[in-house]
Amino acid sequence: MSRVPITININGMPTSAQVEPRTLLVQFLRDELELTGTHVGCDTSQCGACTVSLNGEAVKSCTLFAVQADGMDVKTIEGIGSVDELHPIQAAFWEQHGLQCGFCTPGMIMASAEIIRRNPDPSEDEIREQLGGNFCRCTGYHNIVKAITEAAAVMRQKGAEQGQAADD
């Protein structure tokens, strides 16, 4: 099969490659770029384990071809925080025990970032509703909701502190 050239800005780095037109974005990220934090759970867009950010919006990368992301910005779990400095959402998942086996965690964190981006102070009901497309078979969601609530509070506080520093 013929290959098509694409360039995608992945985690802030321009990345060019030749891909088969039928290559899913999740396959490209995992198999071609070895960004294995994006998981394949169901291949039917039901579970959310493959959630990434595409131009700032949470999407399930098993529903898109890599060629559809050509010229766009993709952020994966590898682009959020670092081992030395966790993103507030990652830190909250750790502190609130929002993970058990960890399989759904990358997708949950990426979905959480979208929830907080849309509403910096989401209610528990809003969080639960917006997590509807992300499955966790281990936790029962209670600690995931607590983690998102904590992360949102930390991110609001950091934003307020940055705003005060700019005003000084």
Side-chain angles (χ1 to χ4, degrees), residues 8-163:
I8 304 172
N9 190 21
I10 299 177
N11 297 328
M13 302 284 291
T15 304
S16 296
Q18 299 273 333
V19 298
E20 289 185 11
R22 64 183 180 172
T23 301
L24 294 173
L25 181 58
V26 68
Q27 294 169 323
F28 177 66
L29 294 170
R30 291 182 57 80
D31 301 340
E32 301 291 325
L33 303 181
E34 298 182 1
L35 295 172
T36 58
T38 303
H39 292 165
V40 178
C42 66
D43 279 332
T44 59
S45 80
Q46 300 297 310
C47 73
C50 67
T51 302
V52 298
S53 173
L54 180 69
N55 284 350
E57 301 282 332
V59 299
K60 294 176 181 175
S61 60
C62 73
T63 64
L64 296 168
F65 294 113
V67 295
Q68 291 176 284
D70 186 31
M72 297 187 180
D73 294 321
V74 172
K75 185 176 281 190
T76 69
I77 191 67
E78 290 90 350
I80 293 187
S82 68
V83 173
D84 296 326
E85 187 174 341
L86 294 177
H87 185 279
I89 298 171
Q90 292 170 312
F93 267 69
W94 177 264
E95 294 296 322
Q96 295 298 325
H97 307 286
L99 58 116
Q100 284 183 11
C101 80
F103 189 80
C104 72
T105 305
M108 286 288 185
I109 289 173
M110 298 304 293
S112 300
E114 175 73 6
I115 291 168
I116 295 169
R117 184 190 67 77
R118 282 193 215 145
N119 180 358
D121 192 10
S123 70
E124 181 177 323
D125 287 341
E126 289 170 323
I127 292 169
R128 287 183 183 279
E129 180 180 327
Q130 292 180 46
L131 284 178
N134 290 74
F135 295 158
C136 176
R137 307 255 188 249
C138 301
T139 67
Y141 297 92
H142 180 70
N143 288 346
I144 291 171
V145 173
K146 284 175 35 180
I148 296 168
T149 301
E150 178 181 310
V154 168
M155 292 169 72
R156 284 192 312 275
Q157 180 62 37
K158 283 187 176 188
E161 290 170 1
Q162 289 173 349

